[in-house]
Amino acid sequence: MRSRVTVVGEVLVDLLWRAGAAQVLPVPGGSPANVAVGLHRLERPVTLVTTWGDDPPGALIGAHLDTIGVEVRRAPSVTERSTLAIAYLGEDGSASYEFLAAWDPRALDVPADTAVLHTGSLALVVEPGASDVLDACRRVRERPGTAVAVDLNVRPAVQRDRAAYRAACDRFAEVADVVKASDEDLAWLYPDMTAEHAARDLLARGARLVVVTLGADGAFALTADAHVRVPAPSVEVKDTVGAGDAFQAALLDALASGAATGDRLVLPSSAEELTGVLTRCVTAAAITCTRVGSDPPTAAELQAAAPSPHDG
């Protein structure tokens, strides 16, 4: 049975700039890369399909990926440029971003044993790569026993045209089985809708499961037949960098544990199943918030804090 999660998306260098600091700290990361690291720490077979340039940021990215133990398939890049992000960190640990973005892989090689294909963030909207990612999602969804998961992870700094950004997200919702977004993502994309209304709109576009994170207030999930909400653990926050990616890694780990029936991967659907999955996800995010930077929990750490819904 397939159990691999393949993550398709950018790797980049975050320039962490704390409020009041005179210097910035370069840290390799990027949402898809962070998700892949989170899955690896949860002992899930994972492959990261990405690209980066042969430039100084790329050297830092390559060295980082060599140390994390994740299988990486590097696609050739059209421009040979790496992506940079400036992460402005507030006194409360919150982050806002600016990007010097490049996302132009020439080919995306998805392993044949992929159970879940995940993508998100810049890879959804930065062309020419976004169109190639959309095609890869379509191809994988046609394989029996697979699922496609998308994390909208909205970054207005890379596409300030709200209508164009929303159209890109809608296209991915139409080819995804699972869509995850934060309440802030949905508020920016759909300013005239509540988070639940926007989530139901995404569900109507073709997703079987929509998950919405609510920061310190937890998360909720919607399917055609269920609506559940869980609170977040109370923790002392160092910063929020990578919290959403840790949440997503835990979610993907749960999805990839599902059985394949016919041409689809079985997703958690009952209120009980969804509550167990979301509880584990918000716990993974909370653990990450107690650390500096994107530092997701290991399987043992997460098991100690929130037993897996798949544990007997």
Side-chain angles (χ1 to χ4, degrees):
M1 185 179 70
R2 293 188 179 100
S3 64
R4 179 173 303 279
V5 176
T6 296
V7 178
V8 175
E10 74 279 355
V11 289
L12 53 78
V13 172
D14 279 314
L15 303 176
L16 302 183
W17 197 328
R18 293 189 176 276
Q23 295 179 322
V24 298
L25 176 66
V27 177
S31 176
N34 293 341
V35 170
V37 171
L39 285 160
H40 179 67
R41 292 190 181 178
L42 295 178
E43 302 174 11
R44 170 66 52 186
V46 57
T47 298
L48 174 63
V49 180
T50 187
T51 190
W52 64 91
D54 290 322
D55 51 20
L60 186 61
I61 288 167
H64 170 65
L65 294 178
D66 284 344
T67 66
I68 61 176
V70 173
E71 177 183 289
V72 177
R73 295 192 179 186
R74 182 184 181 185
S77 166
V78 175
T79 61
E80 290 293 340
R81 290 172 51 224
S82 301
T83 297
L84 293 173
I86 304 175
Y88 300 107
L89 302 179
E91 297 288 354
D92 62 352
S94 62
S96 60
Y97 293 88
E98 294 289 342
F99 295 92
L100 299 173
W103 173 240
D104 52 6
R106 291 176 180 164
L108 296 170
D109 182 15
V110 177
D113 65 342
T114 297
V116 179
L117 173 67
H118 162 74
T119 189
S121 195
L122 308 189
L124 305 184
V125 293
V126 177
E127 295 289 3
S131 294
D132 292 333
V133 175
L134 188 66
D135 288 342
C137 290
R138 291 191 179 108
R139 292 194 303 270
V140 169
R141 205 180 191 198
E142 291 174 354
R143 299 179 185 177
T146 61
V148 173
V150 172
D151 181 0
L152 300 187
N153 200 14
V154 172
R155 297 291 184 244
V158 300
Q159 172 54 274
R160 298 187 185 278
D161 184 328
R162 195 190 312 267
Y165 210 132
R166 184 166 55 238
C169 291
D170 288 346
R171 285 193 294 272
F172 276 91
E174 290 168 1
V175 301
D177 297 281
V178 180
V179 177
K180 177 251 187 184
S182 70
D183 54 349
E184 293 179 349
D185 293 335
L186 298 179
W188 190 86
L189 286 171
Y190 309 99
D192 298 327
M193 297 184 186
T194 65
E196 182 176 339
H197 186 184
R200 291 196 180 280
D201 183 76
L202 291 168
L203 199 67
R205 292 182 181 276
R208 292 188 280 155
L209 169 64
V210 176
V211 176
V212 179
T213 59
L214 306 169
D217 292 328
F220 71 82
L222 288 177
T223 69
D225 303 312
H227 180 190
V228 301
R229 179 168 174 166
V230 301
S234 179
V235 296
E236 182 176 345
V237 175
K238 294 287 183 64
D239 67 46
T240 62
V241 175
D245 299 327
F247 181 106
Q248 184 70 9
L251 176 61
L252 294 167
D253 182 51
L255 298 179
S257 299
T261 300
D263 62 348
R264 310 299 289 274
L265 188 71
V266 176
L267 304 181
S269 57
S270 71
E272 181 181 6
E273 289 175 320
L274 290 168
T275 298
V277 169
L278 288 188
T279 298
R280 193 164 181 259
C281 292
V282 296
T283 303
I287 292 171
T288 305
C289 288
T290 66
R291 304 168 174 175
V292 176
S294 181
D295 187 6
T298 65
E301 289 172 329
L302 188 52
Q303 172 63 26
S308 167
H310 301 288
D311 293 336

